[in-house]
Coordinates of all heavy atoms in Angstrom, one line a residue:
S4 N 170.2 -183.5 151.0 CA 170.4 -183.1 149.6 C 170.1 -184.2 148.6 O 170.3 -185.4 148.9 CB 171.9 -182.6 149.4 OG 172.1 -182.3 148.1
F5 N 169.5 -183.8 147.5 CA 169.3 -184.7 146.4 C 170.5 -184.9 145.5 O 170.5 -185.8 144.6 CB 168.1 -184.2 145.6 CG 166.8 -184.4 146.2 CD1 166.1 -183.2 146.6 CD2 166.2 -185.6 146.5 CE1 164.8 -183.3 147.2 CE2 165.0 -185.7 147.2 CZ 164.3 -184.6 147.5
V6 N 171.5 -184.1 145.7 CA 172.7 -184.2 144.8 C 173.5 -185.5 145.1 O 173.9 -185.7 146.3 CB 173.6 -183.0 144.9 CG1 174.8 -183.1 144.1 CG2 172.8 -181.7 144.6
T7 N 173.7 -186.4 144.2 CA 174.5 -187.6 144.4 C 175.9 -187.3 144.1 O 176.3 -186.8 143.0 CB 173.9 -188.7 143.5 OG1 172.6 -189.0 143.8 CG2 174.7 -190.0 143.7
H8 N 176.8 -187.7 145.0 CA 178.2 -187.5 144.8 C 178.9 -188.7 144.1 O 178.6 -189.9 144.5 CB 178.9 -187.2 146.1 CG 178.5 -185.9 146.7 ND1 178.8 -185.6 148.0 CD2 177.9 -184.8 146.2 CE1 178.3 -184.3 148.2 NE2 177.8 -183.9 147.1
N9 N 179.8 -188.5 143.2 CA 180.6 -189.6 142.6 C 181.5 -190.1 143.7 O 181.7 -191.3 143.7 CB 181.4 -189.1 141.4 CG 180.5 -188.5 140.3 OD1 179.5 -189.0 140.0 ND2 181.0 -187.3 139.8
W10 N 182.1 -189.2 144.5 CA 182.9 -189.6 145.7 C 182.8 -188.4 146.6 O 182.5 -187.3 146.2 CB 184.3 -190.0 145.3 CG 185.0 -189.1 144.4 CD1 185.3 -189.2 143.1 CD2 185.7 -187.8 144.8 NE1 186.0 -188.1 142.6 CE2 186.3 -187.3 143.6 CE3 185.8 -187.2 146.0 CZ2 187.0 -186.1 143.7 CZ3 186.5 -186.0 146.0 CH2 187.1 -185.4 144.9
E11 N 183.1 -188.7 147.9 CA 183.2 -187.7 148.9 C 184.0 -188.2 150.1 O 184.0 -189.4 150.3 CB 181.8 -187.3 149.4 CG 181.1 -188.5 150.0 CD 179.6 -188.2 150.5 OE1 179.0 -187.4 149.8 OE2 179.2 -188.8 151.5
H12 N 184.7 -187.3 150.7 CA 185.5 -187.7 151.9 C 186.0 -186.4 152.6 O 186.1 -185.3 152.0 CB 186.6 -188.6 151.6 CG 187.7 -188.1 150.7 ND1 188.7 -187.2 151.1 CD2 187.9 -188.3 149.4 CE1 189.5 -186.9 150.1 NE2 189.0 -187.5 149.0
A13 N 186.3 -186.6 153.9 CA 186.8 -185.5 154.7 C 188.3 -185.3 154.3 O 189.0 -186.2 153.9 CB 186.7 -185.9 156.2
V14 N 188.7 -184.1 154.5 CA 190.1 -183.7 154.2 C 190.7 -183.0 155.5 O 189.9 -182.4 156.2 CB 190.3 -182.8 153.0 CG1 190.0 -183.6 151.7 CG2 189.4 -181.6 153.0
P15 N 192.0 -183.0 155.7 CA 192.5 -182.5 157.0 C 192.8 -181.0 156.9 O 193.5 -180.5 157.8 CB 193.8 -183.3 157.1 CG 194.2 -183.5 155.7 CD 193.0 -183.8 154.9
I16 N 192.2 -180.2 156.0 CA 192.5 -178.8 155.9 C 191.2 -178.1 155.6 O 190.2 -178.6 155.2 CB 193.5 -178.5 154.8 CG1 192.9 -178.9 153.4 CG2 194.8 -179.1 155.0 CD1 193.8 -178.6 152.2
F17 N 191.2 -176.7 155.9 CA 190.1 -175.8 155.5 C 190.5 -175.3 154.1 O 191.5 -174.5 154.0 CB 190.0 -174.7 156.4 CG 189.2 -175.0 157.7 CD1 189.8 -175.1 158.9 CD2 187.8 -175.1 157.6 CE1 189.0 -175.4 160.0 CE2 187.0 -175.4 158.7 CZ 187.7 -175.5 159.9
L18 N 189.8 -175.7 153.0 CA 190.2 -175.2 151.7 C 190.0 -173.7 151.5 O 188.9 -173.3 151.7 CB 189.4 -176.0 150.6 CG 190.2 -177.2 150.0 CD1 190.2 -178.3 151.1 CD2 189.4 -177.7 148.8
R19 N 191.1 -173.1 151.2 CA 191.0 -171.6 150.9 C 191.2 -171.4 149.4 O 190.8 -170.4 148.9 CB 192.1 -170.8 151.6 CG 191.8 -170.8 153.2 CD 192.8 -169.9 153.9 NE 192.9 -168.6 153.3 CZ 192.1 -167.6 153.6 NH1 191.2 -167.7 154.5 NH2 192.3 -166.4 153.1
S20 N 191.8 -172.4 148.7 CA 192.0 -172.3 147.3 C 191.9 -173.7 146.6 O 192.3 -174.7 147.2 CB 193.4 -171.7 147.0 OG 193.4 -170.3 147.4
M21 N 191.4 -173.7 145.4 CA 191.4 -174.9 144.5 C 191.8 -174.5 143.1 O 191.5 -173.3 142.7 CB 190.0 -175.5 144.5 CG 189.5 -176.1 145.8 SD 187.9 -176.8 145.6 CE 188.3 -178.4 144.7
A22 N 192.4 -175.4 142.4 CA 192.7 -175.2 141.0 C 192.7 -176.6 140.3 O 193.0 -177.6 140.9 CB 194.1 -174.6 140.8
L23 N 192.2 -176.6 139.1 CA 192.0 -177.8 138.3 C 193.0 -177.9 137.2 O 193.1 -176.9 136.4 CB 190.6 -177.9 137.8 CG 190.2 -179.2 137.1 CD1 190.3 -180.4 138.0 CD2 188.8 -179.1 136.5
A24 N 193.7 -179.0 137.1 CA 194.7 -179.2 136.0 C 194.5 -180.6 135.4 O 195.0 -181.5 136.1 CB 196.1 -178.9 136.5
G25 N 193.8 -180.7 134.3 CA 193.6 -182.1 133.8 C 192.8 -182.9 134.7 O 191.7 -182.5 135.1
K26 N 193.3 -184.0 135.2 CA 192.6 -184.9 136.1 C 193.1 -184.8 137.5 O 193.0 -185.7 138.3 CB 192.8 -186.4 135.6 CG 192.1 -186.6 134.3 CD 192.1 -188.1 133.9 CE 191.4 -188.4 132.6 NZ 191.4 -189.8 132.2
T27 N 193.7 -183.6 137.8 CA 194.3 -183.4 139.1 C 193.7 -182.1 139.7 O 193.6 -181.1 139.0 CB 195.8 -183.2 139.1 OG1 196.4 -184.4 138.6 CG2 196.3 -183.0 140.5
I28 N 193.2 -182.2 141.0 CA 192.8 -181.0 141.7 C 193.9 -180.6 142.7 O 194.4 -181.5 143.4 CB 191.5 -181.3 142.5 CG1 190.4 -181.9 141.6 CG2 191.0 -180.1 143.3 CD1 189.2 -182.5 142.4
F29 N 194.3 -179.4 142.6 CA 195.2 -178.9 143.6 C 194.3 -178.1 144.7 O 193.5 -177.3 144.3 CB 196.2 -177.9 143.0 CG 197.2 -178.6 142.1 CD1 197.1 -178.5 140.7 CD2 198.2 -179.4 142.7 CE1 198.0 -179.2 139.9 CE2 199.1 -180.0 141.9 CZ 199.0 -180.0 140.5
M30 N 194.6 -178.4 145.9 CA 193.8 -177.8 147.0 C 194.8 -177.4 148.1 O 195.8 -178.1 148.4 CB 192.7 -178.7 147.6 CG 193.2 -179.9 148.2 SD 191.8 -180.9 148.8 CE 192.7 -182.2 149.8

């Protein structure tokens, strides 16, 4: 991919839901 990530990392869950609140991501 040509898309450059600001940051990236593995997480210990399969995300089924995300929500954004200010500078916090709930997953």
Side-chain angles (χ1 to χ4, degrees):
S4 175
F5 287 112
V6 177
T7 299
H8 291 166
N9 302 319
W10 51 258
E11 62 184 31
H12 61 79
V14 292
I16 60 176
F17 280 106
L18 263 71
R19 291 182 56 84
S20 291
M21 293 183 75
L23 184 64
K26 295 185 177 181
T27 300
I28 303 166
F29 291 103
M30 64 179 191

